[in-house]
Every structure is written in C-alpha cells, then in structure tokens.
Amino acid sequence: MNPFELLKNTQALKQQAESLQAELENLEAEGSSGGKMVTITLNGKFQMKSIKLDPICVDNRDVQMLEDLIVAAHNNAMENVQEKIKEKSGSLLGGMDLSSLGL
C-alpha cells in the first residue's frame, strides 16, 4: 500500500471525525417519563440542556416520585442521543459496532 494514500485517507478520516464532533455539539434529543410529566433535553455530549416539569408532578408530598421521573427521563434522553449518534456516525465508521464503547 502506498504510504501517501494511507496518509491521505487518515487526514480525510480526521476531518470527518472533527466534523462529526461539531455536529454532536448541535445535536439534541429529548427523553420523557410519566406521560411527558418530565421532559429532558440533552445535547450530543450528554449534557443536559433543559428540563421541563408538568406542574401536576410538583407535589412536595411526593418528592420521591418526581426524582424517579427525572432519572427515567434522563435515561430515556441518553438512549435517544445514543441512537442519533449511531445514525450520524454510521457512514463515518462504516457500520462498526459501537456497543463496546457504550454507544
């Protein structure tokens, strides 16, 4: 194999990876629980961008339920971000299995 071709391919992959990282910053996914009583939005880096609470679930007598709903919505949002990352990175990685990376 020609070393210059390999270098060219490596540079192209690096550019694609940098482009993907920039896209991930702008990617957003929502997750919800309790029939959308709690909705969380995460970006492609799994950072929480927003949380929306239905006023009906804000009851100081049942804080445990609200905490559980928030955790469930966050987990759902993470799953949705992972799916979007798989979709975006599929062409770059050529169908490589990302499960070993936790994605």
Side-chain angles (χ1 to χ4, degrees):
M1 173 178 262
N2 183 344
F4 294 109
E5 281 297 316
L6 183 61
L7 182 59
K8 183 179 174 183
N9 289 340
T10 302
Q11 289 173 340
L13 279 174
K14 181 181 176 187
Q15 288 175 342
Q16 287 178 333
E18 288 170 356
S19 174
L20 180 61
Q21 278 189 319
E23 284 185 47
L24 290 179
E25 287 184 32
N26 296 320
L27 180 134
E28 288 189 353
E30 282 188 354
S32 63
S33 65
K36 295 207 176 211
M37 289 173 54
V38 175
T39 302
I40 291 177
T41 303
L42 300 179
N43 68 11
K45 293 185 173 187
F46 300 99
Q47 298 167 327
M48 190 180 304
K49 301 298 283 182
S50 69
I51 183 168
K52 296 177 186 168
L53 304 174
D54 185 323
I56 197 167
C57 70
V58 182
D59 181 354
N60 63 355
R61 295 170 292 164
D62 199 358
V63 172
Q64 180 65 46
M65 179 196 69
L66 180 56
E67 292 169 346
D68 292 344
L69 288 171
I70 290 170
V71 169
H74 185 268
N75 290 339
N76 182 239
M78 284 182 45
E79 291 170 5
N80 293 337
V81 168
Q82 289 171 339
E83 284 302 313
K84 287 188 175 191
I85 289 173
K86 285 180 187 177
E87 290 170 12
K88 292 248 184 228
S89 63
S91 61
L92 174 65
L93 300 174
M96 188 184 311
D97 182 20
L98 299 177
S99 61
S100 63
L101 301 174
L103 298 174

